[in-house]
Amino acid sequence: MRKIPIQNIYYILCYAWDIGEMRDQVNVGIEQCDSIANLLVHVLLNTTERLLKRGLAQDYIMYGIEVDGIKGKINIGETLKSGRYRLGKMFCNLDEITTDICINQIIYSSLRNSLRIQNLSEQNETRLLTTLRRMPKMKSIKLTEGLFKSVRLNRNNRYYQFALNICRLLHQLLLPNGNSSDKWDFADFIEDERAMNRIFEKFLMNFYKQECRQDYPEVSHAHIRFQLTPYGMTFAKSTDEAYRLLPLMETDVTLFNPHTKKKIILDAKYYKETLVSRYGDSGKIRREHISQILSYVMNQENEDSFTQETKGILVYPTVDLELDVSYQYKNTQHIIQICTVNLNQDWQMIEKRLKEIINF
């Protein structure tokens, strides 16, 4: 989906990371961002500049030092081991407040790594050098997926979340260049269907949470059990064991209004080709997609009347094809809808379309 405007990709990422309120805080234009790599570096630079203006987070670190007399907390073990106490020397542990901490080191190292991206714009390269000079002295560290997973933010430094998300995505997409050890290539995640499907799913979830909470106060992943009763057990030793063999279904997005009793199950489907064709026939929706949304809708039924009227929607992002078709399942009140969202248009139109989908 090469035709998705850069600005829309940025907005989608903001919602996917549950920071939709920050979408208008960065000016994303073609003149600054002509590629995904330049977009992410541009956003990281803007975010880092705001952090520097606000003041980087600080924390206490402990270090050991030999001093005359006593300073801080005596390290008795080291002092006795060295024997230096006979000369009036003590090994002490001191606390020092510093900005040279993990979350700042991640940003600093990401900025340094970004300088090695192949085909980085001259403007971004210049800004990277300027911003690195503004950063206080700190250690450059090796970035790993495990390091990102280990970071725990709290309410005092939650404002770092956006910058760390950008750093993590840059880390995941940077690849060694086979022709130059000084340059790295950038893997365009737009071309990765699996990665984009995860992002699109999170985008839908958080968009409806933030923008449609009045119509649907409850937006979540819902767990659904298959409505199957053990029968004629041969291999299972008990009914409980037979039930445990059944997998648990989890929806991409479930919207529910406890007042109006309206319930919708959304299934996000990001594919380069929305329809599939075989033997020259006209394009069709994938069979497994229909089966999946039907399974969600039918197995969520219970004694509550609204579960008998649940709507299932397959949502496909596109840049050209327009689809909006609904079907009724047998003689039930269940409606299965198949629709597209054109991402190659103004964001206001995308918002309008997303809200149209869930209004029935």
Side-chain angles (χ1 to χ4, degrees):
M1 293 195 185
R2 282 287 181 183
K3 296 178 183 178
I4 303 177
I6 291 290
Q7 188 169 22
N8 289 349
I9 294 171
Y10 169 66
Y11 288 163
I12 289 170
L13 288 174
C14 283
Y15 278 108
W17 292 333
D18 201 13
I19 44 177
E21 69 278 2
M22 296 190 67
R23 70 179 199 185
D24 297 321
Q25 294 187 20
V26 176
N27 179 28
V28 180
I30 281 295
E31 63 277 6
Q32 294 97 0
C33 311
D34 58 354
S35 68
I36 301 298
N38 278 310
L39 164 68
L40 295 180
V41 172
H42 173 75
V43 174
L44 178 59
L45 282 165
N46 283 32
T47 307
T48 304
E49 288 167 3
R50 285 200 303 275
L51 290 174
L52 287 168
K53 186 176 181 180
R54 176 175 182 157
L56 295 179
Q58 298 178 324
D59 203 353
Y60 284 97
I61 62 169
M62 183 175 288
Y63 65 97
I65 187 173
E66 185 184 70
V67 297
D68 293 321
I70 298 174
K71 187 176 182 181
K73 185 178 180 180
I74 300 175
N75 186 328
I76 296 175
E78 284 295 322
T79 300
L80 293 176
K81 182 180 177 181
S82 68
R84 301 273 290 169
Y85 61 90
R86 299 186 183 93
L87 302 175
K89 305 286 187 180
M90 295 287 181
F91 279 92
C92 298
N93 294 327
L94 304 179
D95 285 332
E96 180 183 51
I97 191 166
T98 179
T99 57
D100 193 9
I101 57 178
C102 182
I103 52 178
N104 291 328
Q105 291 167 355
I106 288 174
I107 294 172
Y108 177 74
S109 302
S110 296
L111 291 170
R112 286 173 57 91
N113 291 345
S114 296
L115 281 169
R116 302 170 64 183
I117 295 176
Q118 190 87 342
N119 300 320
L120 191 67
S121 71
E122 184 177 344
Q123 182 184 16
N124 274 339
E125 189 172 341
T126 301
R127 289 184 63 200
L128 278 169
L129 293 170
T130 301
T131 302
L132 282 167
R133 284 193 291 267
R134 291 181 57 198
M135 297 280 286
K137 183 179 179 181
M138 67 180 61
K139 182 170 61 176
S140 180
I141 59 177
K142 181 179 180 180
L143 301 178
T144 65
E145 194 64 21
L147 177 64
F148 284 105
K149 290 179 179 178
S150 70
V151 173
R152 295 292 181 266
L153 298 180
N154 53 52
R155 62 181 181 180
N156 295 322
N157 59 12
R158 187 182 180 276
Y159 56 91
Y160 267 78
Q161 186 64 67
F162 189 33
L164 293 177
N165 282 336
I166 294 289
C167 292
R168 188 173 186 175
L169 188 54
L170 278 167
H171 166 71
Q172 292 171 341
L173 298 175
L174 287 176
L175 303 171
N177 185 290
N179 300 320
S180 173
S181 59
D182 295 329
K183 289 292 183 181
W184 286 350
D185 290 327
F186 191 84
D188 192 343
F189 65 92
I190 298 298
E191 295 300 301
D192 186 335
E193 285 186 347
R194 292 182 64 183
M196 277 304 297
N197 195 71
R198 290 193 297 269
I199 290 172
F200 187 65
E201 175 190 330
K202 291 178 180 177
F203 158 66
L204 287 181
M205 168 74 79
N206 293 322
F207 176 87
Y208 286 120
K209 272 186 180 180
Q210 294 181 34
E211 307 297 338
C212 302
R213 65 183 66 180
Q214 188 171 356
D215 293 329
Y216 291 94
E218 298 180 12
V219 180
S220 64
H221 297 294
H223 291 101
I224 302 173
R225 296 188 179 278
F226 284 100
Q227 294 197 24
L228 296 173
T229 302
Y231 173 76
M233 294 181 292
T234 303
F235 301 103
K237 296 179 181 179
S238 67
T239 300
D240 288 342
E241 183 178 343
Y243 275 122
R244 284 196 296 270
L245 291 172
L246 295 174
L248 191 66
M249 293 180 282
E250 182 180 67
T251 64
D252 288 350
V253 186
T254 295
L255 302 101
F256 180 60
N257 187 321
H259 307 294
T260 63
K261 301 300 182 183
K262 284 187 177 181
K263 185 178 181 182
I264 301 176
I265 296 175
L266 294 175
D267 207 32
K269 299 297 183 186
Y270 187 99
Y271 284 82
K272 295 177 185 177
E273 300 294 335
T274 303
L275 304 178
V276 291
S277 301
R278 292 183 179 179
Y279 312 114
D281 64 2
S282 59
K284 300 183 184 299
I285 295 294
R286 290 168 173 80
R287 182 185 296 110
E288 60 271 23
H289 294 178
I290 299 291
S291 299
Q292 185 177 23
I293 195 68
L294 272 175
S295 186
Y296 289 158
V297 168
M298 300 310 298
N299 284 281
Q300 58 82 46
E301 286 186 353
N302 57 38
E303 64 277 4
D304 295 319
S305 60
F306 66 84
T307 65
Q308 315 296 321
E309 302 175 359
T310 295
K311 185 174 186 178
I313 307 177
L314 292 174
V315 184
Y316 294 87
T318 66
V319 293
D320 41 34
L321 180 69
E322 300 284 351
L323 277 179
D324 198 341
V325 59
S326 298
Y327 303 91
Q328 183 176 7
Y329 181 69
K330 292 186 174 179
N331 60 346
T332 70
Q333 297 301 309
H334 296 303
I335 300 297
I336 302 299
Q337 183 178 349
I338 298 159
C339 60
T340 56
V341 179
N342 187 349
L343 299 181
N344 186 24
Q345 58 182 334
D346 291 340
W347 187 254
Q348 291 76 14
M349 298 301 296
I350 295 174
E351 284 187 329
K352 180 181 177 183
R353 174 60 173 158
L354 288 170
K355 292 175 181 178
E356 285 176 351
I357 288 171
I358 62 171
N359 287 327
F360 69 99

